[in-house]
Amino acid sequence: MSDILGTYGISASGMKAQADRLRHLSENIANADTPGYRRKTVPFHDLADGRVETGPVRLDRRELPQIYDPGHPMADDTGNYQGSNVDLIVEITDAREAQRSYEANLKVFDQSRQMAQGLLDLLKR
């Protein structure tokens, strides 16, 4: 029974980590057109008991693109301003991956719950 309970913790930590990842991916997508915005990434760390947790948020240090638009309020003397380093294709792909991983962890959680319920039903007999 303790193995089944341990599975709850493992799958719940995976769901929490993917939910955190999805939150930051959503922020990146929402700020894709914000001048000077740097993409946020979230690393995962494995724990000794099979669980996973998120680490501190990191900012993508790639150089920000220079966008030429002399009419933009943030443009400098040359008519350029710094854009965002968010690539929408990458963010949407990562969001889909995180969503599917969340769903897989949810499925494991549900299967563990059904197994525990089946075991309890057998013990009642």
Side-chain angles (χ1 to χ4, degrees):
M1 186 71 150
S2 68
D3 289 340
I4 293 174
L5 295 177
T7 306
Y8 289 150
I10 292 170
S11 60
S13 73
M15 287 188 289
K16 182 182 180 316
Q18 293 300 340
D20 288 347
R21 182 178 176 207
L22 274 170
R23 184 172 54 90
H24 292 296
L25 289 167
S26 299
E27 288 176 16
N28 290 342
I29 291 169
N31 288 295
D33 292 330
T34 302
Y37 182 81
R38 292 192 178 275
R39 175 179 185 248
K40 295 178 182 178
T41 59
V42 179
F44 289 176
H45 301 291
D46 293 329
L47 301 176
D49 58 356
R51 293 180 299 127
V52 65
E53 69 179 5
T54 55
V57 174
R58 297 180 185 162
L59 296 179
D60 188 343
R61 287 288 166 210
R62 287 181 299 153
E63 192 170 322
L64 296 174
Q66 293 294 317
I67 299 173
Y68 179 74
D69 184 2
H72 194 277
M74 295 183 74
D76 58 13
D77 297 343
T78 62
N80 292 314
Y81 69 93
Q82 290 184 329
S84 168
N85 65 357
V86 174
D87 182 353
L88 284 176
I89 301 298
V90 171
E91 300 303 316
I92 291 170
T93 303
D94 286 353
R96 181 164 292 175
E97 177 189 3
Q99 177 187 4
R100 291 200 176 151
S101 180
Y102 183 93
E103 289 170 356
N105 279 295
L106 183 61
K107 188 76 165 176
V108 169
F109 190 89
D110 188 47
Q111 290 292 322
S112 298
R113 184 191 58 76
Q114 289 178 12
M115 288 173 56
Q117 185 62 47
L119 179 59
L120 290 174
D121 290 344
L122 284 173
L123 292 173
K124 286 180 184 178
R125 292 182 190 176

